[in-house]
Amino acid sequence: MQQPLNRLIILGGGTAGWMAAAAMSHQLRGTQVRIQLVESSAVGTVGVGEATLPGLRNFNASLGIDERAFIRATNATFKLGIRFEGWAGQSSDIFHPFSDYGAPIAGTPFHQWFYRARALGLDVGALHEYSFSAMLAGQQRFAQPHAEPGNPLADYKYAFHFDATAYAAFLRHYAEARGVERVDDRLTSVVKDPANGHIQALKLESGLELAGDFFIDCSGFRSLLLGEALSVPFEDWSHWLPVDGAYAVAAEPAPVLRPYTRAIARDGGWQWQIPLQHRTGNGSVFASRFIDESRVVEDLMAGLEGAATGSPNRIRFVTGRRQKFWEKNCVALGLASGFLEPLESTSIALIQTGLSRLLMFLPLAGIDAAEVEEANRTARIEMERIRDFLILHYCRNGRQGDLWEYCRNMPLPDSLAQKIALFESRGHLQQRELESFEPASWLTFYEGFGVAPCQPDPAVLNASPDDIARALASMRSQIASAANQPLSHAAFIARHCAA
Ligand SMILES: Cc1cc2nc3c(=O)[nH]c(=O)nc-3n(C[C@H](O)[C@H](O)[C@H](O)COP(=O)(O)OP(=O)(O)OC[C@H]3O[C@@H](n4cnc5c(N)ncnc54)[C@H](O)[C@@H]3O)c2cc1C
């Protein structure tokens, strides 16, 4: 396409659609580009997606959104990480914080000293004791990280739990105030240019025909533009990520306002618990070939901490992705581009990185084939890295039951098998291009599932056990005493950002 971008059309008004509208209206302010968003209130949104990753703070900040105003508007709470209960065995507990562990010693990563100390028979305690945010979370406290140069022990990130519907409304207000035009109508068909197959216009139920130069498909699982109109195939990853459905239900707030998500392993899947200011979001994700759905609902309802405020809502999905992120004059964001399952709350984060990618290559003066290729390459790699990280949660599990046995025995993607092998050999924590999860996140699950290096790093071999013990003990005690100070999570919110 060589013509300049004058009319940009977004199909879908879920989290993806309104994030796209907000980002585009901000980025394209002062230009002639007309932005329209089509959504159908008759179709509705998927209505889930309440836990996020720390990058959302950057997204909001890039739009000039005040963090506390956002928290109040979306009934949000703070998220320091996720507690995985029962994944490594019935009563196991793995806390995945958004932070590093400890601090390097003499330039060698912390974990190498930790494993060396353990091999020497020293009392090293548990890995989470070296993470300030994990220790805060364990006491239901919250504090915002202070920039203390030179103190890596206080360096951590946080994310949010929020009401996704309220967030979409918040962003809608933002985008409409910046000129985005909303059309409430249902797409019935797509008009394509017979010469090159590009999308020319969307035909809507009311008879309206919306012409555009570029289209962002945020239409949810059906992927109406990228998948249906442009026939970009779906790549099914359910042999690696076998869950294919969920029941979601809201409940009264739990007695304690936790600063983390709970992910509780169950017989045929797992259950989430997401604390918001005004309610708790709950859901059970399951693999239908391994468990009867009536059991899933029973377990979900039995596991609620507060009374349910509605009935469970059933959602079906297939894990995988569209083979391309960008085809002709269309890009897909959100569920229209694929879905890896709710574990680790990566979907909204992927909307955000997809938007950054689109903004980097936005075809203001025409579409450039090299840019499209690069956008597709990076989108593909990013999703594969996340896929591998999610599979790690399953493939070394320590549970009984058909799903869990299947996952222990399934063949792994080569990229993941190689990564695990590198860690098992000498504790290499490999950071590859476009990794969404940092080495500390991988370390969390290696340690949680008992995957350990066979040999020490040569850099730690000659250190004296006393020196190692002293250094590790000092880190633990600094973190433990600092983590006792802050307010409880509930008190922090009441003081600074109650809805
Ligand atoms: C069980 C479950 C749990 C999840 N948990 C999390 C989580 O904790 N964290 C996270 O980051 N993500 C999570 N996700 C993913 C998250 O829900 C989505 O990424 C997010 O909601 C974005 O959805 P969307 O906007 O792509 O699609 P949708 O919300 O489905 O929106 C689709 C939009 O397209 C419109 N539309 C559809 N068809 C038409 C038509 N014919 N004409 C006009 N408009 C149409 C709809 O009206 C709607 O506005 C979860 C997903 C599932 C299934």
Side-chain angles (χ1 to χ4, degrees):
M1 183 183 90
Q2 290 314 317
Q3 79 249 36
L5 177 63
N6 288 313
R7 292 188 65 170
L8 176 66
I9 297 186
I10 300 165
L11 176 66
T15 310
W18 285 111
M19 281 177 77
M24 291 295 153
S25 65
H26 178 70
Q27 189 74 19
L28 297 174
R29 65 192 182 282
T31 69
Q32 295 304 308
V33 182
R34 179 176 180 190
I35 306 172
Q36 291 172 297
L37 182 146
V38 183
E39 66 174 320
S40 163
S41 35
V43 176
T45 63
V46 73
V48 279
E50 303 187 319
T52 61
L53 292 180
L56 191 76
R57 294 189 66 210
N58 303 334
F59 178 77
N60 286 339
S62 72
L63 300 183
I65 292 173
D66 174 68
E67 183 161 298
R68 291 188 181 177
F70 150 79
I71 292 173
R72 289 190 197 98
T74 61
N75 262 295
T77 65
F78 294 95
K79 176 180 173 189
L80 290 166
I82 306 177
R83 182 169 153 185
F84 290 85
E85 299 170 35
W87 291 70
Q90 209 63 35
S91 55
S92 64
D93 209 335
I94 302 172
F95 191 83
H96 176 199
F98 298 131
S99 70
D100 218 336
Y101 293 101
I105 304 173
T108 299
F110 161 80
H111 71 281
Q112 297 289 5
W113 299 100
F114 178 81
Y115 285 111
R116 179 64 180 155
R118 192 184 268 168
L120 290 167
L122 304 174
D123 173 17
V124 290
L127 184 64
H128 72 263
E129 293 175 61
Y130 297 87
S131 157
F132 179 57
S133 54
M135 293 296 282
L136 272 185
Q139 301 180 68
Q140 323 299 342
R141 295 179 196 272
F142 180 74
Q144 283 177 306
H146 292 292
E148 276 184 60
N151 184 3
L153 298 179
D155 189 13
Y156 61 96
K157 296 180 184 146
Y158 63 86
F160 307 101
H161 307 110
F162 65 15
D163 178 333
T165 308
Y167 187 52
F170 185 84
L171 293 180
R172 174 179 161 187
H173 179 76
Y174 177 100
E176 286 185 323
R178 284 158 183 78
V180 173
E181 300 162 46
R182 173 179 177 267
V183 180
D184 187 351
D185 210 335
R186 205 170 68 84
L187 175 81
T188 49
S189 61
V190 173
V191 183
K192 292 200 282 181
D193 182 335
N196 60 14
H198 283 220
I199 299 174
Q200 285 180 320
L202 306 186
K203 280 194 175 175
L204 307 178
E205 203 167 45
S206 65
L208 198 67
E209 193 168 311
L210 283 189
D213 303 311
F214 198 81
F215 295 80
I216 306 180
D217 183 357
C218 301
S219 63
F221 285 125
R222 283 184 58 201
S223 192
L224 294 172
L225 302 183
L226 192 81
E228 286 192 13
L230 297 176
S231 307
V232 171
F234 184 80
E235 197 175 321
D236 184 330
W237 282 344
S238 56
H239 49 297
W240 285 315
L241 295 170
V243 295
D244 58 359
Y247 281 90
V249 66
E252 298 291 343
V256 175
L257 192 66
R258 299 188 176 91
Y260 55 86
T261 304
R262 288 176 78 197
I264 308 152
R266 299 279 186 221
D267 278 355
W270 61 277
Q271 182 172 340
W272 78 74
Q273 216 179 65
I274 297 179
L276 307 187
Q277 291 192 34
H278 61 315
R279 63 171 159 82
T280 307
N282 302 276
S284 267
V285 184
F286 60 93
S288 61
R289 64 187 153 125
F290 294 114
I291 190 156
D292 191 78
E293 288 192 32
S294 56
R295 257 292 302 289
V296 175
V297 179
E298 260 169 50
D299 288 352
L300 170 65
M301 301 310 275
L304 301 183
E305 284 188 309
T309 55
S311 345
N313 171 29
R314 181 175 182 268
I315 303 154
R316 297 308 306 265
F317 54 83
V318 182
T319 57
R321 61 155 176 213
R322 292 282 151 193
Q323 279 176 1
K324 289 182 185 171
F325 157 80
W326 186 328
E327 172 75 350
K328 302 191 188 288
N329 59 340
C330 175
V331 152
L333 295 173
L335 301 172
S337 66
F339 183 54
L340 293 176
E341 84 137 287
L343 200 65
E344 293 286 358
S345 344
T346 58
S347 194
I348 295 170
L350 280 166
I351 297 171
Q352 191 185 333
T353 54
L355 269 168
S356 306
R357 188 172 290 120
L358 175 57
L359 287 170
M360 186 187 302
F361 299 124
L362 197 65
L364 288 171
I367 294 173
D368 181 296
E371 291 192 336
V372 174
E373 196 180 317
E374 179 61 6
N376 282 329
R377 184 189 76 84
T378 51
R380 230 177 4 250
I381 295 177
E382 180 183 43
M383 218 152 175
E384 286 166 13
R385 303 278 190 254
I386 295 178
R387 174 202 67 194
D388 286 0
F389 183 59
L390 298 190
I391 298 172
L392 177 65
H393 294 57
Y394 287 100
C395 69
R396 296 294 180 115
N397 79 80
R399 292 184 69 83
Q400 304 299 314
D402 294 346
L403 166 70
W404 303 98
E405 272 157 39
Y406 169 83
C407 291
R408 273 197 300 275
N409 294 310
M410 65 189 171
L412 300 181
D414 291 345
S415 47
L416 175 60
Q418 190 211 17
K419 207 161 173 168
I420 298 175
L422 274 169
F423 183 78
E424 282 181 315
S425 93
R426 221 182 289 197
H428 301 291
L429 282 173
Q430 208 191 27
Q431 174 94 4
R432 295 177 176 159
E433 181 196 13
L434 294 160
E435 287 279 8
S436 298
F437 290 93
E438 294 184 8
S441 295
W442 289 79
L443 179 64
T444 301
F445 291 95
Y446 290 142
E447 169 65 6
F449 291 126
V451 180
C454 298
Q455 310 167 58
D457 184 310
V460 301
L461 263 182
N462 296 320
S464 105
D466 284 351
D467 288 348
I468 304 177
R470 218 173 297 116
L472 296 188
S474 155
M475 287 182 208
R476 272 165 83 193
S477 75
Q478 279 183 61
I479 287 173
S481 72
N484 278 331
Q485 316 290 328
L487 291 176
S488 72
H489 180 219
F492 185 96
I493 287 182
R495 180 175 295 182
H496 299 293
C497 42

